[in-house]
């Protein structure tokens, strides 16, 4: 089930919120209800995979319990940690990468005339990349002694399967949420509920009213044969996808955070105006921040971080970004995308940051945005041959009218709206407005006013969800 | 065990002290009330008199564990909520209206609002521009075969007439199509290819574009409407009259003629003139810029006027002839084969064209019209020309093929008419992640081979 679906907006969320709010303020009762609702939520989209996720979390819970039990014995706790990691990464490898691995193995062995290995298509359980990473944080945090494991399996299950962040994050690290599972009802204030509802509706609007329009335009262009497009058309497609992925994913994160807030949970923010970044290094501090934090804490730092020689640092960055690319999908274009970003991170460290710093904020944002757009094209087009043609067309300065396309009417308007919100923070004094909206103290009238607007947005989005066949969600498949 | 504190950014908005007061609680409970009303709305039963959708609302799918496990129940429920639920039906027109007002967007596939509130089909613009036009060899092949059929039929006293119809996007692109759709340089399009080749081969054909273009500046009433998907009713009458006169001239006979003494003018589109409004599920659109004309038609003729049997094969433009009574009166209760597939007027058993013996059918008529609009010329005749050509030039191969295809076509028809079977096929399509058409094909092949065995 995704948040921007009729079943969620018309049935699941209303019933969940009403029952949840009618329950007495007893932590266990509320947690059990959230857990059961989360199981229902997940099994709606993956009824068979729910058994996989329940089984694996049980095993993981036992293994991590052993890690904690043997906390004074370095060797033993390492063995149990490795078993837990093997379980989680093995699961991820099997479901997400096995077909990819076999395809590539076949490609290599076919060169030597060997027979190809035939395997059936393995279906990907929804959200597996997210909950695998979260399971790893649990095991590693307990191993590192950052936090004791949960005593109750069902609380651990709740951490893993908590529906607001289950399908597409934010990736919540165990120690960030462990206390909240125990005390979230203390934060279940009416203020938080209204703010949460408002944030949910803002996220829903970003997804339904903007991302879907951008996506429809991006699909119309990027699904075409690039040979039939001219340079202008390819750039329109790339820009449409650039806005789609931002409003889609950040919208989903807002919905997740808003839902959490309605239950007294505070999930971490995932985006911070990424398109106003002045470098790729800054971009990764603003884009999918919880993935960045995960990569930093569980991969980059264990590799040595930046307290190493320059060459080792570059290698670490390359490894992290290749892994990040592969995490997004089992396809070479994701690996290339990771390498592309990794390259700019390395160039930043070598000299680019200084150059971008010198040329001023706006030019550096333009250059960075340009790099990001090219990156999204790599991310979007899985067929490597087609990707090559598309990128070639983007830089071919081909303005043959035969390759022109007529943009959708709604795209013509909403691309400006998307650009305005994406680059709002570049406007002088915009930071004040931004902080006033997101971090200021609200009075009652403002809070009620926002709630009324949120209700209106909810209905408008529901209309669009009900009336449109086009409603993809990009990160759903990861 | 040390608890490591880490800075994690959250967007917790601070509310002034004392914020959680009664008014905020009321606001929150009002939101909950609204949400539960949404959930309950589909279950409510309003009185039919004040709720026009009450009678047409479908019921939600029934739960069943196996359907749940293979995801079919979920797909059906989501489809029900979107398309068939009481709420879904209420929301759809509002959303469509919003799209129309804000973005000039229509929910009707491939249609947008063009200049001066003309609803235009972008596919039709592309065919006008010659995008993806058929190769000359394909047009030559089809029309050369048509010529063979025409000559064969002529020997039996039957005339084959081809009719080419322009869409409004084709007829007046500069008036109705926004510039952004016309950036692609115009190339030779299917319409031009068909007309030129028909002329070269000496086929009997009517080029409605040329005719309508000749009266474009003198026609007293709009030839195309703003909100219709076809030409105007007025043009339909002119076109029908032209067709009747063409047949009279071709066969040297007199037919009962379509005539009208007066016309009713209307700002509100009638008959099919505003069909795109309904198809776009819109409640309100702007008025027509010019009044539309509705001739009050009848059939007249001298005592010598005699109806003849004329078979039509065509797209929805030919259906206009049916509305005007052509099939009934001057064509002597003739049939029309819609896309060479379903038979019009519909028979109780919903006869399809493949059920006929083609030869005896064709030879029971005095004239055969194949009429397609500019946007449908890429599938001109929908296989009729290939079938008739093969039947007359290589009957052995034709009848062997028909015999082979018949059981599958029969099975497909059975599937379409059996609601339970269709439900089963939808489920299979959802499970295998294939289109319903593919699932029907698979099932039909299975049924046909089973019947054979």
């Amino acid at each position: 089930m995704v948040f921007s679906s009729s079943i969620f907006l018309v049935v699941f969320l209303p019933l969940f919120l009403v029952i949840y709010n009618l329950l007495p303020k007893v932590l266990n009762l509320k947690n059990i209800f959230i857990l059961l609702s989360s199981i229902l939520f997940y099994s709606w989209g993956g009824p068979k995979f729910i058994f996989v996720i329940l089984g694996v979390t049980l095993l993981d819970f036992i293994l991590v319990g052993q890690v904690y039990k043997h906390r004074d014995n370095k060797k033993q706790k390492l063995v149990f940690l490795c078993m837990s990691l093997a379980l989680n990464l093995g699961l991820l490898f099997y479901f997400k990468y096995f077909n990819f691995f076999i395809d590539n193995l076949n490609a290599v062995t076919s060169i030597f005339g060997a027979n190809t290995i035939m395997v059936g298509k393995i279906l990907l359980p929804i959200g597996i990349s997210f909950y695998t990473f979260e399971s790893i944080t649990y095991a590693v945090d307990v191993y590192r002694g950052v936090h004791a494991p949960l005593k109750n399996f069902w609380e651990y299950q709740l951490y893993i399967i908590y529906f607001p962040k289950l399908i597409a994050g934010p990736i919540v690290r165990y120690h960030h949420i462990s206390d909240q599972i125990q005390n979230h009802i203390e934060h279940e204030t009416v203020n938080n509920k209204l703010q949460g509802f408002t944030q949910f509706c803002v996220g829903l609007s970003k997804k339904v009213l903007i991302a879907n329009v951008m996506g429809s335009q991006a699909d119309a262009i990027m699904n075409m044969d690039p040979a039939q497009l001219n340079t202008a058309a390819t750039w329109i497609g790339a820009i449409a996808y650039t806005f789609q992925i931002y409003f889609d994913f950040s919208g989903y994160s807002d919905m997740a955070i808003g839902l959490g807030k309605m239950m007294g949970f505070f999930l971490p923010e995932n985006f911070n105006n990424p398109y106003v970044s002045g470098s790729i290094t800054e971009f990764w501090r603003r884009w999918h921040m919880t993935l960045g934090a995960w990569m930093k804490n569980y991969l980059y730092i264990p590799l040595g971080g930046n307290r190493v020689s320059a060459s080792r640092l570059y290698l670490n960055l390359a490894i992290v970004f290749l892994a990040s690319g592969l995490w997004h999908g089992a396809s070479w274009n994701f690996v290339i995308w990771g390498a592309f970003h990794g390259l700019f991170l390395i160039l930043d460290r070598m000299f680019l940051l200084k150059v971008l710093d010198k040329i001023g904020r706006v030019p550096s944002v333009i250059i960075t945005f340009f790099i990001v757009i090219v990156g999204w094209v790599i991310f979007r087009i899985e067929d490597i041959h087609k990707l090559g043609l598309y990128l070639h067309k983007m830089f071919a300065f081909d303005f043959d009218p035969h390759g022109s396309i007529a943009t959708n009417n709604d795209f013509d308007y909403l691309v400006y709206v998307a650009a305005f919100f994406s680059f709002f923070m570049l406007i002088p004094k915009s930071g004040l407005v931004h902080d006033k909206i997101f971090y200021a103290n609200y009075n009652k009238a403002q809070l009620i006013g926002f709630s009324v607007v949120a209700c209106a947005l909810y209905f408008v989005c529901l209309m669009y969800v009900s009336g449109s066949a086009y409603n993809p969600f990009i990160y759903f498949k990861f | 065990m040390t608890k490591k504190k880490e800075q994690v950014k959250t967007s917790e908005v601070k509310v002034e002290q004392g914020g959680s007061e009664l008014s905020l609680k009321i606001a929150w409970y009002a939101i909950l009330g609204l949400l539960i009303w949404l959930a309950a709305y589909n279950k409510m039963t309003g009185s039919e008199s004040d709720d026009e959708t009450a009678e047409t609302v479908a019921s939600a799918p029934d739960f069943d564990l196996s359907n749940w496990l293979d995801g079919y129940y979920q797909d059906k429920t989501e489809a029900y909520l979107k398309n068939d639920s009481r709420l879904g039906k209420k929301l759809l027109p509002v959303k469509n209206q919003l799209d129309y007002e804000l973005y000039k967007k229509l929910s009707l596939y491939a249609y947008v609002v063009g200049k001066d509130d003309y609803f235009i089909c972008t596919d039709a613009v592309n065919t006008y521009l010659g995008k993806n036009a058929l190769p000359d060899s394909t047009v030559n092949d089809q029309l050369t075969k048509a010529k063979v059929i025409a000559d064969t039929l002529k020997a039996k006293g039957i005339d084959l007439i081809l009719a080419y119809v322009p869409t409004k996007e084709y007829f007046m692109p500069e008036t109705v199509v926004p510039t952004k759709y016309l950036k692609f340089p115009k190339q030779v399009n299917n319409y031009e290819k068909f007309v030129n080749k028909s002329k070269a081969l000496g086929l009997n054909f009517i080029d409605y574009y040329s005719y309508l273009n000749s009266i474009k500046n003198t026609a007293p009433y709009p030839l195309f409407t703003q909100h219709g998907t076809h030409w105007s009713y007025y043009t339909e009458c002119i076109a029908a009259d032209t067709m009747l006169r063409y047949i009279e001239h071709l066969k040297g006979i007199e037919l009962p003629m379509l005539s009208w003494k007066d016309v009713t003018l209307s700002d509100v589109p009638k008959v099919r003139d505003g069909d795109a409004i309904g198809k776009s599920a819109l409640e309100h659109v702007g008025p027509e810029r010019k009044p539309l004309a509705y001739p009050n038609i009848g059939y007249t003729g001298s005592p010598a006027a005699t109806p003849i049997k004329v078979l039509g094969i065509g797209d929805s433009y030919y259906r206009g002839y049916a509305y005007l009574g052509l099939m009934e009166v001057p064509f002597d209760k003739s049939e029309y084969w819609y896309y060479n597939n379903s038979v019009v007027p519909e028979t109780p058993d919903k006869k399809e064209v493949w059920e006929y013996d083609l030869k005896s059918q064709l030879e029971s008529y005095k004239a055969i019209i194949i009429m397609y609009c500019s946007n449908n010329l890429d599938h001109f005749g929908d296989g009729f020309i290939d079938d008739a050509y093969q039947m007359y030039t290589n009957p052995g191969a034709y009848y062997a093929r028909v015999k082979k295809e018949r059981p599958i076509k029969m099975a497909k028809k059975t599937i379409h008419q059996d609601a339970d079977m269709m439900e089963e096929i939808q489920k299979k399509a959802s499970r295998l992640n294939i289109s319903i058409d593919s699932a029907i094909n698979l099932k039909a092949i299975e049924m046909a081979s089973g019947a054979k065995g």
Side-chain angles (χ1 to χ4, degrees), chain A residues 176-436:
Chain A
H176 176 65
I177 204 171
S178 57
D179 290 340
Q180 295 189 41
I181 290 174
Q182 305 285 354
N183 66 10
H184 66 95
I185 56 171
E186 290 168 23
H187 302 288
E188 246 182 53
T189 62
V190 69
N191 303 324
N192 281 334
K193 287 173 183 174
L194 290 175
Q195 289 157 28
F197 182 72
T198 304
Q199 190 164 0
F200 175 83
C201 294
V202 168
L204 183 66
S205 308
K206 283 162 90 172
K207 158 77 188 119
V208 174
L209 304 181
I210 299 179
N212 283 358
V213 174
M214 298 296 118
S216 172
Q217 185 64 72
D219 283 358
I221 296 172
M222 293 176 118
N223 291 344
M224 282 175 73
D225 176 1
Q228 292 182 352
L229 299 168
N230 65 18
T231 296
T234 55
W235 277 96
I236 292 170
I239 288 168
Y241 185 69
T242 298
F243 287 134
Q244 180 198 2
I245 195 164
Y246 171 52
F247 283 92
D248 193 270
F249 194 17
S250 72
Y252 205 88
S253 293
D254 283 337
M255 287 187 263
I257 295 165
L259 285 168
K261 227 177 261 181
M262 284 189 262
M263 292 171 244
F265 283 91
F266 293 98
L267 303 179
E269 286 288 334
N270 226 3
F271 293 86
N272 179 19
N273 300 292
Y275 291 156
V276 297
S277 302
S279 67
I280 292 297
T281 303
E282 187 186 347
F283 175 77
W284 278 103
R285 284 194 208 113
R286 292 171 173 272
W287 177 272
H288 203 172
M289 297 185 306
T290 57
L291 176 68
W294 194 99
M295 286 288 178
K296 184 181 162 194
N297 284 291
Y298 299 94
L299 190 57
Y300 183 67
I301 291 175
L303 285 170
N306 47 14
R307 291 177 185 171
V308 287
S309 65
S311 56
R312 179 61 203 238
L313 171 69
Y314 302 151
L315 180 68
N316 289 350
L317 284 170
I319 292 170
V320 168
F321 275 86
L322 283 172
S324 168
L326 203 56
W327 176 84
H328 282 86
S331 173
W332 283 110
N333 68 307
F334 293 114
V335 178
I336 298 169
W337 176 75
F340 178 78
H341 274 270
L343 172 71
F344 280 97
L345 261 290
I346 293 168
L347 293 177
D348 275 354
R349 293 288 204 288
M350 290 169 83
F351 68 92
L352 200 54
L353 272 182
K354 285 176 195 158
V355 175
L356 291 170
D357 223 26
K358 268 189 186 165
I359 60 174
R361 184 71 182 162
V362 173
S364 65
V365 168
I366 293 169
I367 291 168
T368 306
F369 188 59
F370 173 82
I371 297 166
V372 168
I373 292 174
V374 175
W376 288 135
V377 171
I378 300 170
F379 189 90
R380 168 65 173 74
I381 302 175
E382 289 190 20
D383 180 331
I384 299 296
H385 175 67
K386 188 178 172 185
L387 171 62
L389 288 176
Y390 198 95
L391 288 171
H392 171 75
K393 260 291 159 74
M394 283 177 79
F395 297 98
F397 297 97
D398 165 13
F399 295 103
D400 181 352
H402 288 95
S404 61
I405 54 111
T407 48
N408 299 335
N409 285 356
D410 45 1
F411 174 81
D412 293 345
Y413 293 97
L414 289 170
V415 70
Y416 295 108
V417 176
F420 175 77
F421 285 117
S422 297
F423 298 109
F424 176 73
M425 289 297 281
L426 281 182
I427 302 168
K429 309 235 172 175
S430 57
L432 294 175
V433 180
H434 180 266
D435 289 350
K436 195 150 183 71

Side-chain angles (χ1 to χ4, degrees), chain B residues 10 31 48 101 106 131 147 157 182 195 208 327 358 400 448:
Chain B
T10 63
I31 289 171
E48 288 181 16
E101 304 288 350
L106 299 172
K131 262 190 187 177
K147 177 68 178 160
L182 297 172
V195 166
Y208 276 117
M327 286 162 61
L358 185 61

Side-chain angles (χ1 to χ4, degrees), chain B residues 258-393:
Chain B
L258 189 67
S259 65
W260 59 89
K261 284 184 186 147
D262 53 17
V263 298
T264 306
L265 295 179
S266 172
D267 289 330
V268 179
K270 296 177 182 174
V271 203
R272 291 200 298 178
D273 284 357
D275 62 349
I277 302 170
K279 286 176 181 175
S280 303
L282 286 171
E283 299 280 343
H284 308 285
V285 295
E288 292 283 332
R289 287 172 183 271
K290 284 182 188 168
L292 298 170
Y294 294 94
N296 299 311
I297 58 164
Y299 285 91
T300 54
S302 71
T306 317
I308 60 163
K309 285 277 194 187
V310 178
L311 172 67
I313 297 147
D315 56 20
S316 52
Y317 277 82
Y318 196 93
R319 201 175 279 270
Y321 287 177
Y323 293 140
L324 295 176
L326 248 69
M327 286 162 61
E328 190 67 19
V329 185
F331 294 167
D332 194 19
K333 299 186 174 64
S334 291
E335 283 181 357
Y336 142 56
W337 296 350
Y338 183 51
Y339 289 115
N340 194 37
N341 182 25
S342 46
V343 173
V344 182
E346 196 176 87
T347 56
D349 63 339
K350 294 190 173 153
K351 197 177 270 300
E352 293 177 1
V353 173
W354 60 268
E355 293 176 71
Y356 282 135
D357 172 60
L358 185 61
K359 190 165 189 288
S360 60
Q361 273 297 314
L362 295 189
E363 293 175 9
S364 67
Y365 289 95
K366 292 290 174 202
I368 296 159
I369 300 168
I370 309 177
M371 178 164 146
Y372 277 69
C373 75
S374 51
N375 198 31
N376 286 327
L377 289 174
D378 57 338
H379 52 95
F380 186 66
D382 284 293
F384 170 80
I385 292 174
D386 288 323
D387 283 350
Y389 175 79
Q390 193 183 31
M391 184 188 72
Y392 282 122
T393 57

Side-chain angles (χ1 to χ4, degrees), chain B residues 41-144:
Chain B
Y41 189 79
N42 285 328
K43 296 285 174 196
M44 290 176 195
T45 46
S47 75
E48 288 181 16
S49 57
D50 60 24
D51 185 355
E52 72 280 6
T53 63
E55 284 178 291
T56 54
V57 170
S59 58
D62 295 326
F63 179 81
D64 150 342
L65 189 63
S66 70
N67 282 348
W68 167 272
L69 285 173
D70 61 25
Y72 179 70
Y73 172 79
Q74 290 89 318
D75 290 347
K76 286 288 281 184
T77 305
E78 297 207 24
Y80 160 77
L81 283 173
K82 276 170 83 95
N83 308 321
D84 297 322
S85 70
R86 199 163 176 247
L87 185 68
K89 280 177 182 284
K90 284 276 182 200
L91 292 175
L92 186 65
V94 188
K95 176 252 170 196
N96 289 340
Q97 198 67 40
L98 209 60
D99 267 344
Y100 168 71
E101 304 288 350
L102 289 176
Y103 308 125
K104 300 288 171 204
K105 193 178 160 188
L106 299 172
S107 64
L108 179 57
Y109 174 73
Y111 272 79
V112 293
V113 182
K115 286 182 186 170
D116 289 340
D117 208 36
Y118 272 92
F119 289 11
I120 60 157
C121 173
T122 53
D123 285 351
V125 176
N126 289 337
T127 53
Y128 158 74
L129 293 172
K131 262 190 187 177
N132 306 318
L134 291 171
D136 290 345
S137 57
T138 307
V139 178
N140 291 348
D141 173 67
Q142 284 293 294
L143 292 183
T144 308

Side-chain angles (χ1 to χ4, degrees), chain A residues 1-2 5-11 13-15 17-18 21 40 43-48 51 68 71 141-142 144-149 173 175-176 179 187 189-195 197 199 209 213 228 257 261-262 266-270 272 289 293 297 400-414 434 437-448 451 455 458-460 462-471, chain B residues 1-42 63 65-83 85 87-107 111-114 122 126 129 131-132 178-187 431 433:
Chain A
M1 195 184 301
V2 290
S5 63
S6 299
I7 188 75
F8 185 83
L9 296 172
V10 178
V11 182
L13 184 62
L15 293 178
L17 284 179
V18 169
N21 280 277
L40 176 68
S43 59
W44 184 264
K48 286 173 185 161
F51 302 110
Y68 185 67
R71 59 189 177 280
D141 283 1
V142 170
R144 286 175 175 170
V146 176
H147 211 290
R173 294 163 63 192
H175 71 267
H176 176 65
D179 290 340
H187 302 288
T189 62
V190 69
N191 303 324
N192 281 334
K193 287 173 183 174
L194 290 175
Q195 289 157 28
F197 182 72
Q199 190 164 0
L209 304 181
V213 174
Q228 292 182 352
I257 295 165
K261 227 177 261 181
M262 284 189 262
F266 293 98
L267 303 179
E269 286 288 334
N270 226 3
N272 179 19
M289 297 185 306
N297 284 291
D400 181 352
H402 288 95
S404 61
I405 54 111
T407 48
N408 299 335
N409 285 356
D410 45 1
F411 174 81
D412 293 345
Y413 293 97
L414 289 170
H434 180 266
I437 291 171
F438 291 103
Y439 302 112
N441 294 342
Y442 286 173
N443 60 35
K444 275 185 293 179
Q446 284 170 324
L447 208 48
I448 292 170
S451 303
C455 283
Y458 193 93
F459 271 86
V460 172
L462 184 58
M463 278 192 299
Y464 276 86
V465 167
S466 299
S468 307
Y470 185 87
N471 189 18
Chain B
M1 184 71 55
T2 54
K3 208 183 275 184
K4 193 169 153 189
K5 286 257 176 186
E6 192 165 339
Q7 285 285 324
V8 181
K9 194 178 177 194
T10 63
S11 68
E12 186 177 5
V13 180
K14 296 165 210 78
V15 181
E16 284 175 358
Q17 290 300 309
S20 55
E21 289 173 12
L22 189 63
S23 54
L24 294 181
K25 280 189 178 166
I26 291 170
W28 174 243
Y29 284 110
I31 289 171
L32 289 184
L34 268 174
L35 291 177
I36 204 66
W37 175 79
L38 275 181
Y41 189 79
N42 285 328
F63 179 81
L65 189 63
S66 70
N67 282 348
W68 167 272
L69 285 173
D70 61 25
Y72 179 70
Y73 172 79
Q74 290 89 318
D75 290 347
K76 286 288 281 184
T77 305
E78 297 207 24
Y80 160 77
L81 283 173
K82 276 170 83 95
N83 308 321
S85 70
L87 185 68
K89 280 177 182 284
K90 284 276 182 200
L91 292 175
L92 186 65
V94 188
K95 176 252 170 196
N96 289 340
Q97 198 67 40
L98 209 60
D99 267 344
Y100 168 71
E101 304 288 350
L102 289 176
Y103 308 125
K104 300 288 171 204
K105 193 178 160 188
L106 299 172
S107 64
Y111 272 79
V112 293
V113 182
T122 53
N126 289 337
L129 293 172
K131 262 190 187 177
N132 306 318
T179 324
K180 71 174 179 178
Y181 295 100
L182 297 172
K183 281 184 198 158
F184 186 90
K186 190 189 162 303
Q187 295 165 335
R431 196 172 57 240
N433 198 21

